[in-house]
Amino acid sequence: MTNSDNRRKNAADLRQKAETFARQRVVRTPNDSAALSPDDIQDTLHELRVHQIELEMQNEELRTAQAEIEAGRARYFDLYDLAPVGYCTLSEKGVIVEANLTAATLLGTNRSALIKQPISRFILKEDQDIYYLHRKQLFEVGGPQECELRLVKPDGTHFWAHLTVIAAQAEDGATVCRVVLSDITERRRAEEELRHLRNYLSNIIDSMPSVLVGVDAEAKITLWNKTAEKNTGVVGAHAQGYLLSHIFPRLAPEMKKITESIRSREIIHHRKRTCVSERGPRYEDVTIYPLTGERVEGAVIRIDDVTEQVRLEEMMVQAEKMLSIGGFAAGMAHEINNPLAGIMQTANVMADRLTNENMPANLKAAREAGVSMAAIRNFMEARGIPRMLKTIRKSGLRAAEIVSNMLGFARKSEAQVSFHDLSDLIDKTLDLAATDYDIIKQYDFKSIEIRREFEDGLPPVSCEGAKIQQVLLNIFRNGAEAMQTAGTGKPIFIVRTEFDKERKMVCMEIEDNGPGMDEAICKRVFEPFYTTKPVGEGTGLGLSVSYFIITENYGGKIAVESQPGKGTKFVIRLPLKSTNEELSTVNADLLPKNEAAALTDIKQQVLKSGKGARKAVQTTIAGRPLVYDLTVEPLQNSAGVIVGITGASQDVTETKGRERTDAAANGTLPSKNRGDNP
């Protein structure tokens, strides 16, 4: 039954009672009405009218009060049931005793289904502890409690909610909890996206190899990436908010530039700024980027270590210089060959003309001068002239050998692999190193004792001789300079070669008695640009290039063993290549077909005889006549042979020209300027 039905029923009951009361008054008052005077009747009518007006006024007041009550109910409905947040009243045990429509909507059910249900039924299991903890604090502390947790709907979906809970007293005096529910799913999603974006940007900033430092208008640090932490040893949390000049004293000289960049909002660069670190002098580029956003003042300083770049530029300049010097030296060596041949030939001619008593021209000239050849010979021997002429020839041959070695080392490599005896390469490298002399430092390689401990029957190794010489020369020079700098009394190099049967590798050891190196230096000795020499005296590339040549080009190994005060030993191991490998690794594809077919027979002969064989091969490629040496060498310590092709970059005319030059250097080629034959 509705409220309007109740009001109609009450009005009908009241009318019935009034009519009954009126009949009773009519029954009682007939005899009395005759006794009333006209004035009494008038007074009675007046009272009735006044009473009627009073009743009408009371009815109006009641209607107004009822309208106000209805308006209040409407406002309560708007404020409570239609509020943008959910309201719940919980009993002391956490049971829902009252809830608004918004709370029911948020929880995905109707209001009647919420009443008398425990609130914990709508809380995600993983978040139950959060609710109970805050509920306990509410009753213990008494103040409002807030928490964020996930609420579950009947369909199993859940959402993030913010709960504000306060304790209150119900009408019956019982303690209840007033709960305000807010859906914060979108806010949490936005916060998660913002957190992800911050982490992403932070990872980008921290992953950069550059030092990145942010400062505000007062030069206080606002950004400090991981590289800055590594560079300074100061963690970001300890750097935030402090003056840049206090945390990063190295940048104190840049403060004026930072202030100017912030004021002018222009980027400022400082290239190749020099600084000193534990690893020696370093170079860095400092770039100051002003912040250009509205109402934002500050700057970001980026610092890049360009030490390797600067050293690389210096090395390139040095390489260009050395390339020019190398070309000049090679040209000089070629030019020296001609006068050297003339000197040696002239010495031979002088020896013949002064000592040969059977040469007709000598006898004729002696008679014309009034002397005998015997007298001339006696005079020459008394003055030591024959010995001097022999010394000239010997020195000339030595000079020719040095020039030839230098030309072979300086000649541009065409990456042609051939087979070399490592002992022979070591000897050639030592001869080349013996020409190294520094007049300023009074350094002379020839003053170093060389002790050779070469294994006999060492198998040849497939390699580029010039590159192996480059490796050996780097080691010899570094060791010699170290011993000279340390003032080693009796410097010595002990050079060993041996064949490692298990690994099938040829091993070279170069040991000195110099100052040695500590463990830290040994670990870095093959790093590019690492050097212990003073600035300007070394690029730090010699041993790194050597490491690359041995390990990358030939698949070998190079290691260093050293202790301070106990010398240094370099160990180089190079693998052997046998006939089981493809011949393409030794340019066998350049062989004519008929020669390639004959290669099998040569292998069998070498295996039977145990002696190496060499065969000259001529062919034509791209219309150009080429000459090859086909070499087959037996492996002394294992079954098999090694096949090599040498001279693939030389044509016939070049080969003949070089043979002519070598013959002249050895004093066996007749000179065009020679007046007569002995």
Side-chain angles (χ1 to χ4, degrees):
M1 183 177 293
T2 63
N3 293 333
S4 60
D5 294 335
N6 290 333
R7 286 196 295 271
R8 285 195 293 271
K9 184 176 182 300
N10 292 335
D13 293 340
L14 182 61
R15 181 177 180 82
Q16 184 178 1
K17 290 180 180 180
E19 288 178 352
T20 302
F21 179 72
R23 283 195 297 272
Q24 290 175 355
R25 289 189 62 183
V26 170
V27 173
R28 279 199 313 272
T29 60
N31 296 328
D32 297 333
S33 60
L36 294 174
S37 64
D39 292 334
D40 292 335
I41 293 173
Q42 289 296 330
D43 291 338
T44 302
L45 290 174
H46 176 72
E47 290 178 1
L48 290 173
R49 291 190 186 97
V50 172
H51 186 59
Q52 182 181 2
I53 293 171
E54 289 178 350
L55 291 176
E56 291 175 353
M57 293 176 66
Q58 289 177 0
N59 285 337
E60 184 65 26
E61 290 177 357
L62 289 174
R63 284 195 292 271
T64 301
Q66 185 176 3
E68 291 176 353
I69 292 172
E70 293 295 333
R73 286 179 177 176
R75 286 196 300 273
Y76 173 79
F77 180 78
D78 287 339
L79 293 175
Y80 184 75
D81 282 336
L82 300 182
V85 294
Y87 295 115
C88 292
T89 300
L90 307 180
S91 67
E92 192 172 3
K93 294 183 179 181
V95 177
I96 301 174
V97 296
E98 188 178 4
N100 69 346
L101 291 176
T102 304
T105 302
L106 289 174
L107 294 173
T109 185
N110 54 57
R111 180 157 44 183
S112 60
L114 290 178
I115 306 303
K116 297 183 180 180
Q117 294 291 335
I119 187 67
S120 58
R121 178 180 175 183
F122 299 94
I123 299 175
L124 194 69
K125 183 178 180 180
E126 290 81 354
D127 296 347
Q128 294 276 348
D129 292 342
I130 299 175
Y131 164 71
Y132 286 115
L133 177 61
H134 283 79
R135 186 168 177 270
K136 179 181 179 181
Q137 292 178 348
L138 173 68
F139 292 115
E140 290 179 354
V141 179
Q145 297 293 318
E146 296 183 9
C147 66
E148 294 181 359
L149 44 73
R150 288 165 290 183
L151 298 179
V152 183
K153 298 180 180 181
D155 60 3
T157 60
H158 59 81
F159 64 95
W160 278 98
H162 180 274
L163 274 62
T164 303
V165 187
I166 60 173
Q169 295 290 327
E171 295 178 357
D172 58 0
T175 301
V176 295
C177 299
R178 309 292 186 188
V179 182
V180 179
L181 302 175
S182 301
D183 187 347
I184 59 170
T185 303
E186 291 300 324
R187 194 200 79 190
R188 293 284 297 215
R189 184 178 293 112
E191 289 177 350
E192 184 63 27
E193 291 178 356
L194 181 60
R195 187 181 300 109
H196 175 73
L197 179 60
R198 285 178 177 173
N199 290 337
Y200 180 67
L201 293 176
S202 178
N203 286 335
I204 291 176
I205 293 172
D206 287 338
S207 298
M208 292 188 66
S210 307
V211 173
L212 290 180
V213 179
V215 295
D216 58 16
E218 298 177 354
K220 292 183 178 179
I221 297 172
T222 58
L223 172 68
W224 193 260
N225 73 341
K226 293 293 184 184
T227 308
E229 292 183 359
K230 182 179 179 181
N231 201 282
T232 62
V234 180
V235 297
H238 295 164
Q240 294 282 347
Y242 287 90
L243 288 175
L244 177 63
S245 57
H246 292 170
I247 301 298
F248 211 155
R250 202 167 81 210
L251 289 181
E254 306 293 328
M255 295 308 299
K256 290 184 179 179
K257 294 181 181 179
I258 295 173
T259 303
E260 176 61 23
S261 177
I262 295 174
R263 186 192 63 79
S264 63
R265 296 203 169 187
E266 293 182 356
I267 299 174
I268 296 179
H269 301 279
H270 188 172
R271 304 292 188 188
K272 298 181 182 178
R273 179 176 178 269
T274 306
C275 63
V276 180
S277 68
E278 296 178 354
R279 295 181 292 173
R282 311 289 294 177
Y283 300 92
E284 58 189 19
D285 286 349
V286 179
T287 308
I288 304 169
Y289 300 94
L291 301 179
T292 58
E294 295 182 1
R295 298 181 180 180
V296 177
E297 288 188 346
V300 175
I301 300 102
R302 173 179 171 180
I303 305 173
D304 296 294
D305 189 337
V306 294
T307 304
E308 291 189 5
Q309 179 182 338
V310 172
R311 289 179 177 172
L312 182 61
E313 292 172 356
E314 294 175 351
M315 183 270 293
M316 292 176 65
V317 173
Q318 185 71 12
E320 290 292 332
K321 186 187 300 183
M322 294 305 296
L323 184 62
S324 300
I325 294 174
F328 181 65
M332 285 185 61
H334 276 294
E335 293 300 325
I336 288 173
N337 265 339
N338 290 328
L340 187 61
I343 292 172
M344 295 173 63
Q345 292 168 9
T346 301
N348 288 335
V349 171
M350 290 178 64
D352 286 338
R353 291 185 179 184
L354 294 174
T355 61
N356 192 340
E357 299 180 9
N358 298 321
M359 185 182 296
N362 288 352
L363 295 174
K364 179 181 177 182
R367 284 195 303 269
E368 292 176 353
V371 295
S372 66
M373 286 300 300
I376 295 174
R377 186 185 69 248
N378 293 335
F379 171 79
M380 299 297 291
E381 290 178 352
R383 299 299 297 165
I385 301 301
R387 177 178 54 81
M388 294 179 183
L389 292 176
K390 289 181 180 179
T391 302
I392 292 175
R393 285 201 61 193
K394 183 178 179 181
S395 298
L397 289 172
R398 173 66 176 162
E401 184 180 354
I402 293 174
V403 169
S404 177
N405 198 2
M406 184 181 297
L407 283 173
F409 181 72
R411 189 179 297 118
K412 183 179 179 182
S413 172
E414 298 294 339
Q416 298 298 332
V417 177
S418 58
F419 287 88
H420 294 274
D421 182 348
L422 293 185
S423 300
D424 183 53
L425 283 181
I426 292 173
D427 285 335
K428 288 182 178 180
T429 306
L430 287 170
D431 291 341
L432 195 60
T435 63
D436 197 8
Y437 179 77
D438 191 328
I439 192 171
I440 298 177
K441 295 182 178 180
Q442 296 297 308
Y443 153 70
D444 188 358
F445 191 90
K446 291 193 290 293
S447 64
I448 301 174
E449 179 185 351
I450 307 297
R451 184 182 302 170
R452 294 171 173 83
E453 298 178 3
F454 296 161
E455 180 178 313
D456 295 331
L458 202 67
V461 175
S462 174
C463 61
E464 295 178 58
K467 287 188 176 181
I468 300 301
Q469 279 187 274
Q470 181 181 354
V471 172
L472 296 172
L473 194 59
N474 279 328
I475 296 175
F476 282 130
R477 281 182 173 171
N478 285 342
E481 291 176 3
M483 288 188 287
Q484 189 273 338
T485 303
T488 303
K490 295 181 179 180
I492 183 174
F493 276 119
I494 302 175
V495 188
R496 304 181 183 93
T497 61
E498 62 178 0
F499 178 63
D500 189 338
K501 296 181 181 179
E502 295 182 359
R503 300 179 182 180
K504 292 185 178 180
M505 303 180 83
V506 177
C507 177
M508 295 182 289
E509 294 183 2
I510 302 173
E511 184 177 357
D512 64 45
N513 63 338
M517 300 179 289
D518 58 28
E519 185 178 357
I521 296 178
C522 288
K523 288 182 178 180
R524 302 187 60 193
V525 73
F526 296 115
E527 291 183 10
F529 306 110
Y530 178 76
T531 178
T532 58
K533 298 178 182 178
V535 178
E537 293 190 14
T539 62
L541 289 172
L543 289 178
S544 65
V545 171
S546 300
Y547 183 86
F548 180 85
I549 291 174
I550 297 298
T551 59
E552 297 296 329
N553 288 11
Y554 301 115
K557 296 180 180 180
I558 180 170
V560 60
E561 302 173 6
S562 182
Q563 292 182 11
K566 296 185 178 180
T568 302
K569 179 169 69 174
F570 283 88
V571 181
I572 301 172
R573 290 182 172 88
L574 293 174
L576 294 178
K577 292 184 179 180
S578 67
T579 54
N580 294 328
E581 300 185 49
E582 294 293 334
L583 287 177
S584 60
T585 61
V586 289
N587 297 328
D589 55 325
L590 298 178
L591 280 173
K593 292 182 179 179
N594 59 329
E595 300 293 349
L599 178 60
T600 303
D601 296 335
I602 299 176
K603 293 179 191 175
Q604 297 299 327
Q605 294 175 7
V606 170
L607 287 174
K608 289 180 180 179
S609 64
K611 298 180 180 180
R614 178 177 295 178
K615 180 178 182 182
V617 179
Q618 293 190 18
T619 185
T620 301
I621 295 180
R624 183 185 179 201
L626 299 176
V627 178
Y628 300 89
D629 280 339
L630 177 61
T631 305
V632 181
E633 296 285 347
L635 292 176
Q636 300 295 331
N637 297 283
S638 62
V641 297
I642 298 178
V643 180
I645 301 173
T646 60
S649 62
Q650 306 168 11
D651 62 23
V652 175
T653 56
E654 289 175 349
T655 303
K656 291 180 178 179
R658 184 166 299 154
E659 290 174 353
R660 181 181 182 87
T661 302
D662 292 341
N666 288 308
T668 59
L669 183 66
S671 173
K672 293 181 180 179
N673 299 323
R674 194 166 181 173
D676 57 352
N677 293 324

